Amino acid sequence: MIDFADDAQDLIAGYRRFRARRYREARDLFHRLRDTQTPATMIIACADSRADPAMIFDAAPGELFVVRNVAALVPPYEESGGFHGVSAALEFAVTQLRVKQIVVMGHGGCGGIAASLAAADHRPIGRFIAPWVEIASEARDAVLSDATIASKDWQEAVEHGAVGQSLKNLSTFPFVRGALERGDLNMDGAWFSIGRGELHWRDPESGSFSVVDTGADLNDSGDGI
Ligand SMILES: [Zn+2]
């Protein structure tokens, strides 16, 4: 018997529920996926514990290739030294798995975006966080210099703008640009409202976000089911 630390008990209890329910239902699927994966979609999302792509898109194992980091950011293409985790995942998804679409999904109340706003206010956070969220600085500065956006709306506006920035950065990767030009790849932006459990989709032309309807045949009220 393994002697689990107290902090691990919830994880182990969750694993046992997974084995008793979801794994039992999906045993054949896991078996088929043992040696291969062919996800059609790559999702780039925030590491935030409240915005889980697999849950939001009700996806089964094998359907989504997911990268999560602080604020769901994609850095621009660069060949300098260093450990390029997002770039490696992107390269794998596009050149090896040949995903058909990439979705960048931001979310409400994003701590990474709050850190970007704090940096603009000369309050940089962390040894690694502040430099990382600089990826969103162009989008942030566009919001801060827009007199029509009230300060109470800055956070959400930068969350939206950062998705656009990441999409722009995606197309700086030669293999992404090539796949886009061949028509083998689509890119989209999304944003998830945690408080409302609502997905918003980005208009590629205007960069504005609209709420996605939940489908006429689904009971959205949650009553009695
Ligand atoms: Zn976040």
Side-chain angles (χ1 to χ4, degrees):
M1 287 284 281
I2 303 170
D3 184 17
F4 295 107
D6 286 350
D7 290 339
Q9 294 293 351
D10 286 350
L11 291 179
I12 300 306
Y15 167 68
R16 288 172 178 151
R17 289 194 302 275
F18 161 74
R19 288 289 301 196
R21 298 175 202 164
R22 289 191 70 179
Y23 179 72
R24 187 164 291 179
E25 291 164 11
R27 191 193 304 253
D28 291 347
L29 175 60
F30 275 103
H31 187 73
R32 284 199 303 278
L33 290 170
R34 180 183 49 184
D35 298 322
T36 186
Q37 60 168 334
T38 54
T41 298
M42 178 183 195
I43 308 271
I44 296 160
C46 185
D48 194 288
S49 63
R50 304 162 296 174
D52 177 4
M55 179 180 283
I56 292 165
F57 296 108
D58 191 27
E63 291 182 355
L64 301 180
F65 187 78
V66 178
V67 171
R68 300 179 72 174
N69 61 43
V70 171
L73 297 173
V74 177
Y77 177 77
E78 59 176 15
E79 294 176 340
S80 63
F83 299 107
H84 298 289
V86 177
S87 305
L90 190 57
E91 184 173 44
F92 188 70
V94 174
T95 70
Q96 307 299 310
L97 298 175
R98 300 185 186 283
V99 296
K100 301 283 180 242
Q101 64 173 341
I102 302 175
V103 177
V104 177
M105 185 180 76
H107 70 94
C110 182
I113 297 301
S116 172
L117 282 164
D121 196 31
H122 308 292
R123 293 180 291 114
I125 293 169
R127 167 70 181 81
F128 297 104
I129 298 167
W132 171 252
V133 297
E134 273 298 292
I135 294 168
S137 62
E138 197 179 311
R140 175 200 66 205
D141 293 345
V143 168
L144 294 180
S145 62
D146 185 340
T148 67
I149 303 175
S151 58
K152 68 175 177 51
D153 298 326
W154 284 350
Q155 169 81 23
E156 191 171 310
V158 180
E159 287 164 1
H160 289 170
V163 170
Q165 181 68 51
S166 286
L167 290 168
K168 192 169 144 189
N169 289 349
L170 275 173
S171 58
T172 64
F173 287 77
F175 47 83
V176 171
R177 199 163 54 239
L180 289 169
E181 285 167 1
R182 287 193 302 276
D184 292 341
L185 181 68
N186 289 305
M187 297 196 306
D188 274 302
W191 177 88
F192 182 68
S193 164
I194 290 168
R196 296 191 296 274
E198 232 172 42
L199 186 70
H200 295 228
W201 207 252
R202 183 177 184 272
D203 182 313
E205 304 301 325
S206 68
S208 62
F209 285 70
S210 302
V211 66
V212 176
D213 75 77
T214 53
D217 56 342
L218 294 176
N219 185 331
D220 193 37
S221 62
D223 53 350
I225 295 178

